[in-house]
């Protein structure tokens, strides 16, 4: 069924029934029928997306993914939840991640919008999807550079009243921190480091504390790796060598020495 492009194209048109405000032009009865048809179609796609063998075919059906991204957040509550759940299920297959990230325009932005939104179920689905996408090493830099993504995930990581969202957000931050090129992006994100430090010092947060510590340790590892060059250099007046107080030190090693300016002793 998922391989039938004509059928999938027809299903996509049902999903986009309200494109350009077409529903407003229909009678109340026709509008009710079309909304019900869209809801049934979304339920069918949700069912298909749960099949491991069908998922790769569905993710590569451009008409379907484009339609889902187009209508997301523009339908009634139940339909929006079904839409987000379907997109999230597509991220559960490892073979789909790279394709979804780079071949489905605005997908990551849709997830960010739902993380920032007020609908709890949609936000939860969006965070699960981002968590899955961040597992692919090729997607991490693209995700970290998506506008508002790190900021919204950081805020979700501090939602103590929504533990499922909080843990998923922290897992996402941890996955993103595994890429050394995200070090600057993450540390420059307002509140990111502060949130991780606060959670790392909260002994009552359990798994959240562990994930925060793990993420901080990973970021610290990249900082240490950048500084520990394992090379040595002469420090002091190299003209006269050791006689003038010059000494050879290892770059990147902690010295714990204080440095003064012409201080009298």
């Amino acid at each position: 069924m998922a391989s039938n492009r004509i059928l999938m194209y027809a299903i996509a048109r049902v999903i986009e029934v309200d494109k350009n405000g077409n529903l407003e032009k229909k009678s109340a009865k026709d509008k009710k029928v079309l909304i019900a048809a869209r809801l049934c179609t979304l339920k069918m796609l949700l069912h298909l997306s749960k099949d491991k063998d069908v998922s790769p075919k569905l993710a590569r059906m451009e008409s379907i993914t484009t339609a889902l991204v187009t209508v997301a957040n523009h339908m009634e509550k139940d339909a929006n939840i079904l839409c987000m759940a379907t997109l999230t299920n597509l991220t559960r297959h490892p073979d789909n991640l790279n394709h979804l990230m780079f071949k489905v325009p605005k997908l990551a932005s849709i997830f960010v919008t739902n993380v920032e939104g007020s609908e709890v179920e949609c936000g939860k689905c969006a965070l699960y999807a981002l968590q899955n996408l961040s597992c692919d090493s090729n997607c991490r830099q693209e995700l970290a550079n998506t506008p508002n993504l790190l900021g919204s995930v950081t805020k979700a990581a501090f939602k103590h009243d929504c533990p499922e969202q909080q843990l998923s957000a922290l897992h996402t931050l941890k996955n993103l921190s595994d890429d050394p090129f995200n070090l600057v992006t993450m540390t420059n994100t307002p509140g990111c480091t502060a949130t991780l430090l606060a959670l790392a010092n909260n002994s009552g947060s359990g798994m959240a504390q562990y994930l925060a510590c793990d993420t901080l340790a990973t970021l610290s590892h990249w900082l240490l790796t950048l500084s520990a060059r394992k090379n040595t250099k002469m420090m002091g007046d190299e003209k006269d060598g050791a006689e003038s107080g010059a000494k050879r030190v290892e770059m990147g090693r902690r010295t714990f020495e204080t440095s003064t300016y012409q201080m009298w002793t």
Side-chain angles (χ1 to χ4, degrees):
M1 181 177 178
S3 299
N4 191 323
R5 292 185 175 277
I6 297 177
L7 179 59
M8 290 294 106
Y9 180 82
I11 290 174
R13 299 291 75 78
V14 175
I15 297 174
E16 293 181 317
V17 66
D18 195 25
K19 191 174 183 180
N20 299 322
N22 290 333
L23 279 181
E24 297 301 324
K25 304 173 185 177
K26 305 292 183 180
S27 64
K29 182 178 180 180
D30 289 343
K31 183 178 180 179
K32 184 177 180 180
V33 170
L34 291 171
I35 290 177
R38 179 174 63 187
L39 194 63
C40 289
T41 301
L42 289 169
K43 289 180 179 178
M44 179 189 66
L45 288 177
L46 178 62
H47 180 73
L48 290 173
S49 68
K50 293 179 180 179
D51 190 294
K52 182 180 179 181
D53 296 325
V54 174
S55 181
K57 299 176 182 177
L58 197 61
R60 286 160 179 76
M61 195 64 63
E62 184 179 356
S63 58
I64 294 296
T65 53
T66 300
L68 290 173
V69 170
T70 300
V71 301
N73 301 327
H74 297 291
M75 302 177 289
E76 60 278 9
K77 177 182 175 180
D78 291 343
N80 282 328
I81 294 175
L82 290 171
C83 180
M84 290 307 303
T86 302
L87 290 171
T88 300
N89 281 336
L90 294 180
T91 67
R92 293 171 59 192
H93 201 297
D95 292 343
N96 291 346
L97 301 180
N98 195 273
H99 177 83
L100 291 171
M101 189 71 238
F102 295 99
K103 300 296 183 181
V104 182
K106 299 181 180 180
L107 179 65
S109 297
I110 287 296
F111 290 143
V112 172
T113 301
N114 280 275
V115 171
E116 296 174 337
S118 58
E119 178 50 52
V120 176
E121 287 300 318
C122 287
K124 189 190 304 182
C125 288
L127 283 167
Y128 287 151
L130 291 175
Q131 180 181 341
N132 286 339
L133 288 170
S134 64
C135 290
D136 191 309
S137 58
N138 294 323
C139 299
R140 288 171 184 158
Q141 289 185 52
E142 189 72 17
L143 283 170
N145 290 317
T146 299
N148 301 322
L149 187 144
L150 281 174
S152 61
V153 173
T154 296
K155 291 178 182 178
F158 215 64
K159 287 185 176 180
H160 298 288
D161 56 332
C162 300
E164 291 178 323
Q165 289 193 33
Q166 182 184 40
L167 290 181
S168 183
L170 286 168
H171 278 296
T172 302
L173 291 176
K174 171 58 182 68
N175 292 339
L176 293 176
S177 72
D178 285 341
D179 191 318
F181 291 100
N182 287 339
L183 172 63
V184 175
T185 311
M186 293 184 70
T187 53
N188 282 345
T189 299
C192 185
T193 305
T195 296
L196 292 172
L197 287 171
L199 291 172
N201 285 284
N202 185 1
S203 58
S205 57
M207 180 57 73
Q209 182 186 29
Y210 169 78
L211 290 171
C213 290
D214 195 6
T215 305
L216 288 171
T218 304
L219 294 174
S220 299
H221 168 75
W222 297 130
L223 285 170
L224 182 61
T225 302
L226 289 172
S227 64
R229 302 286 298 276
K230 297 301 181 184
N231 60 335
T232 59
K233 183 178 180 180
M234 291 296 295
M235 300 296 290
D237 190 351
E238 299 183 18
K239 293 181 180 179
D240 300 324
E243 295 181 0
S244 64
K247 59 181 179 179
R248 187 171 294 278
V249 298
E250 183 177 334
M251 303 297 290
R253 181 180 291 277
R254 299 179 298 276
T255 64
F256 297 108
E257 295 179 355
T258 56
S259 179
T260 65
Y261 172 71
Q262 298 181 357
M263 183 180 286
W264 287 306
T265 58

